[in-house]
Amino acid sequence: MTEDSRKIPTHEVTYARLRDMILFGVLEPGQPVTIQGLTAGLEAGMTPVREAIRRLAAEGALLPQGNRRVTVPRLSAADLDQVAFARLTIEPHLAGLAVITPALISKLEGLDAAVDAAIHADDVSGYLKSNHAFHFALYEAAGAGVLLDMARSLWLRFGPSLRVVSSRSGATSLPDSHKEALAAMRAGDAAGLSAAMQRDIAQGVEQVRTALRRGEI
């Protein structure tokens, strides 16, 4: 444990770890897991694990089952339509609101390079983590906390299904419109930035929608 992590309350660390397990596909949609198993996997006590489960269930990212089990909900076609509408409305708007600075562009260029490296290496996990970091580094620069919280919640609902799709198709097929977004940032083109992020999101949504139609998730 690092010095920084020791300063964070145990329940927040546990929540963050469980959230990332959902977000990056360690727990797949429909996969039941026991609370005891999570306690062991997270190396945390029962109380912080139960609190993390409660919070994530309230966000729609976990579904409590009987017999002290929880599962990541499967995304239905109707659910996907709602998530897609919300993501395509909120996230491009956040991008357009972002305060773009040379430091932010430099940071995003580094994250985009990590995305490219993961795609080249067919590293699905690396892609998902770097892609998430790129999006939220940009969104956090908008200074719109309510919308940012909504975006985070939407990713928790969408991320597990994208992981299932990408684990079958490989990282080379995953969406990446970051180059266009970065070009718009350098040009000071907020509308172009919003449009690039909208295309990026729409590509991922369509991949999940196609998989749902085929009964693959």
Side-chain angles (χ1 to χ4, degrees):
M1 184 176 290
T2 66
E3 184 66 28
D4 286 342
S5 65
R6 281 195 291 269
K7 298 176 183 176
I8 303 172
T10 300
H11 67 276
E12 289 293 342
V13 173
T14 303
Y15 168 80
R17 288 176 177 169
L18 183 53
R19 179 200 61 206
D20 287 354
M21 289 173 69
I22 298 166
L23 189 60
F24 302 126
V26 176
L27 301 178
E28 292 191 1
Q31 173 191 348
V33 60
T34 65
I35 296 174
Q36 185 176 10
L38 286 175
T39 300
L42 293 166
E43 299 181 345
M46 186 67 73
T47 298
V49 169
R50 286 186 180 278
E51 173 63 13
I53 290 171
R54 183 194 66 76
R55 289 173 62 182
L56 288 160
E59 294 180 69
L62 282 177
L63 184 64
Q65 305 287 294
N67 300 321
R68 296 161 61 89
R69 293 174 181 267
V70 294
T71 188
V72 175
R74 294 184 184 277
L75 196 63
S76 69
D79 292 336
L80 178 60
D81 286 343
Q82 295 175 66
V83 170
F85 172 81
R87 287 196 65 197
L88 288 165
T89 302
I90 292 170
E91 293 180 44
H93 185 63
L94 277 169
L97 290 176
V99 177
I100 306 301
T101 64
L104 178 61
I105 292 174
S106 179
K107 180 178 181 178
L108 292 172
E109 287 172 339
L111 290 169
D112 184 50
V115 169
D116 290 343
I119 291 174
H120 182 73
D122 199 16
D123 175 7
V124 170
S125 178
Y127 167 88
L128 292 172
K129 292 176 181 178
S130 298
N131 183 59
H132 178 272
F134 182 98
H135 280 254
F136 281 89
L138 175 60
Y139 301 159
E140 286 166 6
V146 173
L147 294 179
L148 183 63
D149 285 345
M150 290 180 180
R152 287 182 172 134
S153 179
L154 291 165
W155 275 62
L156 278 169
R157 292 175 181 267
F158 184 78
S161 295
L162 182 62
R163 173 59 189 255
V164 172
V165 171
S166 60
S167 66
R168 292 193 175 99
S169 61
T172 55
S173 67
L174 290 168
D176 180 15
S177 295
H178 297 168
K179 298 290 187 299
E180 294 91 330
L182 284 164
M185 289 182 226
R186 295 185 195 103
D189 180 3
L193 171 56
S194 294
M197 297 310 292
Q198 187 171 52
R199 286 193 297 272
D200 187 82
I201 296 161
Q203 289 169 19
V205 167
E206 188 54 37
Q207 287 181 322
V208 172
R209 182 173 282 122
T210 298
L212 277 172
R213 284 198 297 263
R214 294 173 177 170
E216 296 173 353
I217 54 176

